[in-house]
Amino acid sequence: NAGVTQTPKFQVLKTGQSMTLQCAQDMNHEYMSWYRQDPGMGLRLIHYSVGAGITDQGEVPNGYNVSRSTTEDFPLRLLSAAPSQTSVYFCASRLRDSSEAFFGQGTRLTVV
Amino acid sequence: AQSVTQPDIHITVSEGASLELRCNYSYGATPYLFWYVQSPGQGLQLLLKYFSGDTLVQGIKGFEAEFKRSQSSFNLRKPSVHWSDAAEYFCAVGAHTNAGKSTFGDGTTLTVKP
């Protein structure tokens, strides 16, 4: 099993560009989430999904879109990148609410 | 709403010394509690978790944590720290009423002195 795979690992964007961060898991987990990690602010939930076709907002959803067309994939889209979105992004999946989360290795995004 | 507080941003201990990292949570019912560790440049790895039952839980790498309902705490402990334990540690709370939404603390960075 590969676990949770995130691509790319590093990305530099110009302000206003769009891009998609990819996340895939091969553990047949129902729940998937996107977090951003900023110094001194821990992990903040951006969006999450409890199954294919179902998504919901976390605490910092503005500027990000998600979709969940399959159980395996949960891409995060930045429609118009801003410097405030410079961060490390983590995707996580879990089997159900009471189970541990498995994290990807992260995507380090810089918006200039 | 659920929340997690890790009061210590940074802790330094000597190798071989004992360690306690504090975690306080806020939630109306019995939560699911987790401790994760993050090494530099890596994702988060689960150390241990508590759902119910025995309030002292054992995890990997010699870590343990104790759930104290009266204090709303879930502190992480290790009797003797190794240099390889230097990392950032996150406490997290989840609940069945908030499907998929775990809340993480801001993290505690552990430095180990030789």
Side-chain angles (χ1 to χ4, degrees):
Chain A
N1 283 354
V4 179
T5 302
Q6 287 184 238
T7 55
K9 287 187 168 55
F10 300 95
Q11 183 71 51
V12 178
L13 289 179
K14 293 183 178 178
T15 297
Q17 285 185 315
S18 63
M19 81 159 294
T20 300
L21 308 186
Q22 302 291 345
C23 176
Q25 52 92 8
D26 60 359
M27 298 173 282
N28 203 31
H29 284 174
E30 298 171 18
Y31 298 166
M32 296 185 74
S33 309
W34 275 103
Y35 295 88
R36 60 178 288 174
Q37 184 178 33
D38 302 290
M41 302 186 77
L43 287 130
R44 292 182 292 169
L45 182 66
I46 305 172
H47 285 285
Y48 67 101
S49 169
V50 298
I54 306 170
T55 64
D56 205 348
Q57 296 180 350
E59 57 182 305
V60 288
N62 292 341
Y64 308 95
N65 280 353
V66 292
S67 59
R68 185 98 179 267
S69 56
T70 67
T71 299
E72 294 78 19
D73 300 299
F74 191 44
L76 178 73
R77 280 181 285 277
L78 284 71
L79 299 179
S80 178
S84 61
Q85 294 178 304
T86 294
S87 187
V88 181
Y89 292 84
F90 286 99
C91 178
S93 74
R94 67 175 74 221
L95 183 60
R96 55 185 174 275
D97 210 28
S98 61
S99 60
E100 68 176 279
F102 289 82
F103 284 81
Q105 294 294 298
T107 296
R108 186 173 295 275
L109 175 68
T110 302
V111 183
V112 298
Chain B
Q2 60 198 38
S3 66
V4 177
T5 301
Q6 292 181 246
D8 305 304
I9 297 172
H10 195 176
I11 283 183
T12 300
V13 299
S14 298
E15 191 168 16
S18 63
L19 170 70
E20 183 170 31
L21 302 182
R22 295 183 291 165
C23 172
N24 294 100
Y25 69 90
S26 173
Y27 182 65
T30 300
Y32 305 131
L33 294 161
F34 308 85
W35 274 101
Y36 292 86
V37 60
Q38 184 183 30
S39 299
Q42 302 295 313
L44 279 72
Q45 179 187 20
L46 181 74
L47 283 175
L48 47 77
K49 58 187 176 185
Y50 171 80
F51 299 148
S52 64
D54 193 348
T55 56
L56 184 64
V57 293
Q58 303 296 322
I60 63 171
K61 305 184 181 185
F63 285 91
E64 66 178 27
E66 187 171 12
F67 170 63
K68 292 187 177 180
R69 184 190 301 275
S70 61
Q71 298 177 19
S72 297
S73 69
F74 189 57
N75 294 348
L76 181 72
R77 300 194 293 250
K78 187 169 184 178
S80 178
V81 169
H82 188 262
W83 64 267
S84 60
D85 294 325
E88 190 161 18
Y89 292 80
F90 292 92
C91 181
V93 61
H96 70 281
T97 56
N98 291 297
K101 292 174 71 170
S102 285
T103 300
F104 286 78
D106 289 345
T108 298
T109 299
L110 173 66
T111 298
V112 180
K113 293 191 302 185

